[in-house]
Amino acid sequence: GNSVTQMEGPVTLSEEAFLTINCTYTATGYPSLFWYVQYPGEGLQLLLKATKADDKGSNKGFEATYRKETTSFHLEKGSVQVSDSAVYFCALSVATSTASKLTFGTGTRLQVTL
Amino acid sequence: KAGVTQTPRYLIKTRGQQVTLSCSPISGHRSVSWYQQTPGQGLQFLFEYFSETQRNKGNFPGRFSGRQFSNSRSEMNVSTLELGDSALYLCASSREGGSNQPQHFGDGTRLSIL
């Protein structure tokens, strides 16, 4: 089956520190990969995506590269801000049909302090 | 452009009752998916609707059902509520569905079972 494994949180960083949140996946087909972010009391917002190997998704200073050889999609940001504090979810969707089904990791809580 | 709208935002029910949740997708989006989010199980896929037809279904009991109307609005129904059904229920929409299309989430309905 399909699965996503994320590093356990919480991750606590000082403002302007470098962020890495690890994500690895197992998929039966050729997945598209996503990072979503959830702020308190809200739904999920798409942060970035990559649909094929070696693609790099980027948005708001966050980046992730689709690595097929290591089945990974690690999230990085060079300098975090307090406003980046949220829960981050790695997710995949497999191209076996036209159906949409996201398989999520457990989420990683990021806390950024001044 | 209005986002995905879910109503109500909060619900309190007792065991044995039933509940209906509503989701209005982004204008022009025809695929609507539902997810359950709990602290213990994380984010789990319930089902997806496209053009008024259920196209994909997760591993939930038959107490969980849904439908989609001709205007793409969707409802989810849970019958004979159990304490374990307490969760945040998230609706997501995309234009046509498909694995490489990002899904746009609403803020969710928080259901509490007493």
Side-chain angles (χ1 to χ4, degrees):
Chain A
N2 302 321
S3 66
V4 176
T5 301
Q6 284 182 243
M7 60 189 290
E8 292 285 333
V11 173
T12 303
L13 294 173
S14 298
E15 200 170 44
E16 298 183 2
F18 184 85
L19 168 71
T20 300
I21 300 179
N22 290 337
C23 170
T24 57
Y25 66 88
T26 302
T28 54
Y30 298 96
S32 293
L33 301 174
F34 305 87
W35 277 100
Y36 283 86
V37 58
Q38 187 175 34
Y39 297 99
E42 297 184 10
L44 277 69
Q45 297 177 24
L46 177 67
L47 186 58
L48 52 83
K49 71 169 188 173
T51 58
K52 62 182 188 297
D54 299 325
D55 270 0
K56 177 186 281 189
S58 61
N59 185 26
K60 299 180 182 179
F62 291 90
E63 293 183 338
T65 300
Y66 189 142
R67 302 286 188 199
K68 186 178 178 183
E69 63 277 12
T70 54
T71 61
S72 64
F73 193 54
H74 304 322
L75 182 68
E76 296 182 335
K77 187 175 185 184
S79 176
V80 294
Q81 306 299 311
V82 172
S83 58
D84 293 328
S85 298
V87 181
Y88 292 80
F89 292 92
C90 184
L92 67 81
S93 183
V94 177
T96 56
S97 71
T98 56
S100 297
K101 174 186 173 182
L102 285 167
T103 299
F104 286 93
T106 53
T108 301
R109 182 175 300 279
L110 171 65
Q111 297 175 332
V112 181
T113 60
L114 290 171
Chain B
K1 190 175 186 181
V4 177
T5 304
Q6 292 188 245
T7 57
R9 287 296 310 276
Y10 303 93
L11 266 178
I12 299 175
K13 293 286 186 180
T14 57
R15 283 181 298 173
Q17 288 186 309
Q18 75 167 18
V19 67
T20 299
L21 313 181
S22 180
C23 172
S24 293
I26 291 172
S27 178
H29 285 194
R30 297 165 63 194
S31 168
V32 175
S33 298
W34 290 88
Y35 294 84
Q36 182 196 64
Q37 185 177 24
T38 61
Q41 299 298 317
L43 281 152
Q44 294 186 289
F45 172 78
L46 280 155
F47 29 65
E48 181 211 4
Y49 285 86
F50 182 81
S51 292
E52 302 179 64
T53 301
Q54 188 180 88
R55 192 160 68 172
N56 203 356
K57 188 177 188 303
N59 296 323
F60 278 81
R63 301 185 297 107
F64 292 81
S65 63
R67 58 178 176 169
Q68 187 180 34
F69 302 95
S70 59
N71 62 358
S72 294
R73 190 178 70 86
S74 177
E75 288 182 346
M76 189 189 100
N77 185 77
V78 188
S79 62
T80 319
L81 286 165
E82 300 177 359
L83 292 177
D85 297 334
S86 294
L88 179 66
Y89 289 88
L90 293 165
C91 168
S93 75
S94 65
R95 192 166 295 279
E96 298 287 336
S99 66
N100 61 355
Q101 289 197 3
Q103 295 187 39
H104 301 267
F105 284 80
D107 286 338
T109 294
R110 184 163 296 281
L111 175 63
S112 299
I113 311 302
L114 303 179

